[in-house]
Amino acid sequence: MSTKLSQVEYDRIDNIFTSVESEVLNIEAPGRINLIGEHIDYNGGNVLPAAIDKCIYYSFKKNESATISNVLSKNFSEGFSFDITIPEKPGDGWLSYLSGVLSEIDKIRPGKVSGFDCSLDSKLPIGSGISSSAALLCGFAKGLNELFSLEIDDITIIRLCQNAERIFSGANVGVMDQFAVVKGKKDHFILLDCETLEYSTIPAAMNTNMLLLLNTNVSHNLADSAYNERRAQCESALEIIQTKYPEVKTLVEATEQMVEELKSELGEDRVKRSTHVIQEQKRVEATVEALKNNDFTLVGELLNQSHDGLQNLYEVSCPELDFLAAYAKADDRVLGARMMGGGFGGCTINLIDEKNVDGFVADASKAYKEACNLDLTPIPVKTNNGVQKI
Ligand code: GLA
């Protein structure tokens, strides 16, 4: 059970972090992009995300109490006082996510966390598909790890945050977001094998091109049954494929020929979902090659193809994302674009020459307003390190 902090208490704790004398632990937790490989992580394949230069900023300091802690959100101008041994209920706002992390940490380091004060300030728009929730959870977990010298390794942090997100959002999410947020490397993409968690880093320099997110300002909700439904469809598609091909261990290992052969057993929806997964996995490999060869025209084409798959086969897009992807595809200034993240809202990711950004954003914003009656928010992004002390 938490209690809302009075203004006086909020200001007292805020002052701890703003006063120059106090020794404070400051942490930045980045959001993430995914260049390509969408809805692939929970199908056991390779994805190509990166941490970005838009972050949640955390400050931590131990307090004198054994279990009472105070957390402020500068964004909501509100704070709560709570006992860290009493978990919050899932779904009770941002504090319940943090409480989820505390419960997960307590399972592996029982009784090692004591009272602390914490302030957080997010520069990540919520619900825009850039993993504000993974940044919230991983930044908090890494901060506590440092503050209380818990010595929890990164993979355990990634898994415990994934678990907390599953419990507290209701979406059975994969591992990509937490991995990118924790393991990101400036100027690089992460090529992650989501089955083994082995990874390598791929240089992200793209001549004069850059990555531009366009936020539809349509909010997605991963807890929406659609995410879990897609995942369940992929799991049952794999089971059907395994009845004939037991050697296929993950859906990305299946082939389009297998899907074609088993199409009546699979049924239309599972055929479409599996086809996207198989094709998208090939696009990840092709994108890595294209990046190595500095073939950014090809990277752009692969992004466009990815959007087609997500729109028509995986069916996780929405009219606003489709409008922006189609607009970018028809515009010579953009090399390629696609919806990014779980879907049903959030951002498109666009590969574009820096010199074209201003003109394209002006025209796309006008067209988007006319077509969808919504404002477009451009978010230029650079790759970044994962959660770190600042
Ligand atoms: C969300 C989930 C990820 C991943 C993407 C889709 O961001 O959290 O695990 O499944 O959707 O690629």
Side-chain angles (χ1 to χ4, degrees):
M1 256 296 286
S2 56
T3 349
K4 197 161 188 241
L5 293 176
S6 66
Q7 192 61 45
V8 173
E9 272 298 286
Y10 180 100
D11 292 342
R12 181 187 69 77
I13 293 165
D14 195 21
N15 277 337
I16 299 175
F17 298 116
T18 42
S19 84
V20 273
E21 303 94 73
S22 52
E23 238 183 68
V24 167
L25 168 66
N26 290 311
I27 297 273
E28 89 175 11
R32 69 100 189 86
I33 49 167
N34 184 23
L35 184 60
I36 200 157
E38 217 63 90
H39 288 277
I40 290 295
D41 59 351
Y42 54 84
N43 284 305
N46 297 332
V47 292
L48 201 55
I52 54 171
D53 57 344
K54 308 284 176 289
C55 299
I56 297 179
Y57 297 93
Y58 271 107
S59 301
F60 294 88
K61 194 172 169 61
K62 288 182 191 172
N63 64 26
E64 302 298 308
S65 165
T67 60
I68 302 300
S69 296
N70 303 295
V71 185
L72 321 178
S73 160
K74 306 280 273 191
N75 303 85
F76 295 118
S77 302
E78 66 177 5
F80 295 94
S81 183
F82 62 103
D83 185 323
I84 54 172
T85 61
I86 306 175
E88 298 291 306
K89 284 200 296 298
D92 272 0
W94 58 270
L95 183 64
S96 76
Y97 274 72
L98 303 186
S99 165
V101 169
L102 281 162
S103 302
E104 293 293 318
I105 288 182
D106 197 56
K107 287 183 197 161
I108 48 172
R109 295 287 188 273
K112 291 285 184 229
V113 174
S114 57
F116 62 90
D117 297 328
C118 167
S119 149
L120 73 98
D121 189 4
S122 177
K123 304 297 175 202
L124 295 173
I126 293 167
S128 59
I130 52 178
S131 291
S132 56
S133 51
L136 184 75
L137 299 177
C138 297
F140 191 61
K142 290 273 286 182
L144 293 176
N145 194 34
E146 179 76 26
L147 191 68
F148 293 101
S149 308
L150 301 176
E151 296 185 8
I152 307 174
D153 63 89
D154 279 350
I155 298 298
T156 308
I157 296 263
I158 288 164
R159 287 298 192 194
L160 78 81
C161 290
Q162 180 190 13
N163 227 8
E165 178 145 5
R166 281 179 173 164
I167 296 167
F168 283 81
S169 76
N172 192 10
V173 293
V175 71
M176 170 174 78
D177 301 351
Q178 296 75 15
F179 199 97
V181 165
V182 171
K183 291 299 222 182
K185 186 175 171 199
K186 195 173 185 323
D187 299 326
H188 289 79
F189 297 109
I190 305 273
L191 176 60
L192 170 66
D193 178 334
C194 299
E195 194 62 6
T196 62
L197 297 192
E198 279 164 18
Y199 74 102
S200 55
T201 53
I202 310 281
M206 295 186 291
N207 293 343
T208 54
N209 298 306
M210 59 169 284
L211 294 169
L212 169 72
L213 306 183
L214 294 180
N215 190 354
T216 56
N217 289 311
V218 175
S219 190
H220 74 154
N221 185 0
L222 279 184
D224 259 356
S225 53
Y227 184 92
N228 292 340
E229 186 191 75
R230 295 300 180 285
R231 190 168 175 154
Q233 287 169 330
C234 289
E235 281 161 8
S236 66
L238 176 63
E239 279 168 26
I240 293 168
I241 293 168
Q242 284 172 334
T243 56
K244 179 99 199 270
Y245 297 99
E247 69 279 16
V248 173
K249 297 290 178 234
T250 58
L251 194 54
V252 292
E253 291 169 35
T255 63
E256 286 186 68
Q257 290 83 337
M258 291 175 190
V259 172
E260 173 63 27
E261 198 185 314
L262 292 164
K263 70 173 178 221
S264 56
E265 288 87 335
L266 287 164
E268 192 188 334
D269 281 349
R270 281 186 286 246
V271 166
K272 288 203 272 185
R273 311 301 183 240
S274 315
T275 305
H276 165 75
V277 168
I278 294 164
Q279 294 178 345
E280 180 79 348
Q281 185 61 120
K282 293 215 180 92
R283 285 191 284 268
V284 173
E285 287 156 29
T287 303
V288 171
E289 275 313 295
L291 285 173
K292 285 182 184 156
N293 297 331
N294 289 331
D295 187 349
F296 304 114
T297 309
L298 179 55
V299 175
E301 275 167 27
L302 292 160
L303 296 185
N304 289 339
Q305 288 171 19
S306 172
H307 187 83
D308 278 353
L310 291 159
Q311 178 181 349
N312 300 313
L313 297 174
Y314 218 71
E315 297 177 296
V316 287
S317 189
C318 65
E320 294 82 1
L321 286 167
D322 292 340
F323 176 83
L324 289 177
Y327 188 86
K329 193 173 171 184
D331 192 313
D332 286 344
R333 291 171 293 188
V334 182
L335 294 171
R338 64 177 199 85
M339 57 147 278
M340 192 184 75
F344 307 104
C347 295
T348 58
I349 180 167
N350 299 259
L351 180 61
I352 182 169
D353 194 307
E354 278 162 12
K355 70 174 188 302
N356 290 326
V357 169
D358 290 349
F360 174 68
V361 165
D363 294 344
S365 302
K366 191 161 170 280
Y368 185 62
K369 184 82 184 174
E370 274 165 24
C372 304
N373 199 24
L374 285 166
D375 291 323
L376 191 64
T377 312
I379 311 177
V381 286
K382 290 200 177 86
T383 61
N384 194 2
N385 292 324
V387 180
Q388 60 184 349
K389 254 167 72 167
I390 46 173

